[in-house]
Amino acid sequence: MALVEPVPGEPAATATLGDERALVVADYHAGIEDGLRYEQGINLDSRAGERRKRMVSLVERTDPDRVVVLGDLMHSIAGPGGAERGEIEVLLESIDRPVTLVKGNHDGDIESWIDCSVTPGDGIRLGDVGFVHGHTWPSQDVLSADVVCVGHEHPCVRLEDSVGGSRIERVWLRGGLNPSAFEEQYGEEEAAEVASGGELIVFPAFNDLTGGTWVNVAEQGFLAPFLPGGLSDGEAYLLDGARLGRYDAI
């Protein structure tokens, strides 16, 4: 059995962490509606309740020992507004399991007020699985795990039909972890030692309002400093499990 298994039809996965099982999601972006209104002039009603219900339903469905949020629980970078902070506090009160937040670039000083465990930005290793948001380099401990889970990218593909129409779908990216992508940061020998033989999984965003990196469109660039180089022979999978093949050849 794989250490990390996507939940069919959902932007979430379960992970085996030694004696524990975790539910893992990335890029929740609480309060994004306020951000879109301020940043882009897009007015949307809050979907905080809908997001919370989806999350609680996933916890009930998968029955994990803990929940891991793979970065960007918050949306606003400078600091949460009242509605955003309220959404996060109610969410955590609704999840009856320990929660670990792997700190992302949108999470600011969230550790000063949030009621859950918060890791440093370079991630954490739990059992044989490493977790890092992806906006900065993973720690060597994270890279030494059998599977490294990353958020931040919000990977999507643009799919076209026979009459020229197109649609955007969130995807998973999975492939071998390429040590050469980490040589500049850690040195050739160290990178080869800690990143050899591992698997890299890039999670789709939990929040469907975030937009993302269209990984099969040439002019779209990756955000993480170790991508796309760190993903050897990466393949894309739709949320329903459909395998699309090499993401750069779709």
Side-chain angles (χ1 to χ4, degrees):
M1 180 182 295
L3 288 171
V4 179
E5 287 282 1
V7 178
E10 301 287 351
T14 57
T16 302
L17 312 176
D19 295 333
E20 283 192 333
R21 286 180 66 255
L23 173 68
V24 187
V25 300
D27 297 287
Y28 193 89
H29 285 269
I32 192 174
E33 293 84 4
D34 283 348
L36 291 174
R37 186 177 303 113
Y38 175 76
E39 297 159 8
Q40 302 180 33
I42 299 174
N43 290 304
L44 295 173
D45 292 335
S46 173
R47 300 182 188 176
E50 176 187 332
R51 281 190 290 272
R52 183 178 68 255
K53 289 178 182 178
R54 284 174 55 213
M55 190 69 184
V56 171
S57 176
L58 277 168
V59 172
E60 293 173 348
R61 175 178 169 186
T62 59
D63 192 25
D65 298 298
R66 75 168 52 246
V67 173
V68 176
V69 180
L70 202 51
D72 286 0
L73 179 58
M74 285 172 45
H75 179 71
S76 60
I77 295 177
E84 181 177 3
R85 181 164 176 165
E87 177 180 350
I88 291 171
E89 291 173 341
V90 173
L91 171 69
L92 294 179
E93 289 171 359
S94 303
I95 298 174
D96 59 349
R97 317 292 158 100
V99 176
T100 298
L101 170 61
V102 181
K103 193 171 181 179
N105 57 304
H106 279 255
D107 291 318
D109 66 345
I110 194 170
E111 64 272 18
S112 69
W113 58 268
I114 198 171
D115 186 21
C116 75
S117 172
V118 181
T119 80
D122 61 0
I124 189 173
R125 176 174 172 170
L126 300 172
D128 293 326
V129 183
F131 300 97
V132 68
H133 180 59
H135 64 299
T136 189
W137 293 93
S139 70
Q140 291 169 303
D141 191 38
V142 167
L143 284 179
S144 69
D146 292 343
V147 180
V148 177
C149 298
V150 176
H152 189 49
E153 292 291 344
H154 316 169
C156 303
V157 292
R158 185 173 67 186
L159 301 176
E160 297 183 355
D161 59 30
S162 58
V163 294
S166 66
R167 72 183 194 274
I168 305 301
E169 295 281 354
R170 286 175 289 175
V171 293
W172 300 87
L173 300 181
R174 301 186 73 146
L177 187 63
N178 181 10
S180 66
F182 303 92
E183 290 176 0
E184 183 177 351
Q185 181 71 11
Y186 299 115
E188 183 175 349
E189 291 185 7
E190 191 67 26
E193 180 179 346
V194 301
S196 179
E199 181 185 15
L200 181 64
I201 302 176
V202 184
F203 276 56
F206 184 84
N207 193 319
D208 60 2
L209 296 176
T210 61
T213 301
W214 298 0
V215 298
N216 65 331
V217 176
E219 60 267 23
Q220 290 270 306
F222 281 80
L223 302 174
F226 49 87
L227 290 177
L231 188 62
S232 297
D233 302 324
E235 296 196 335
Y237 299 80
L238 296 177
L239 299 190
D240 64 7
R243 181 179 179 181
L244 301 179
R246 285 284 298 265
Y247 72 84
D248 54 358
I250 297 170

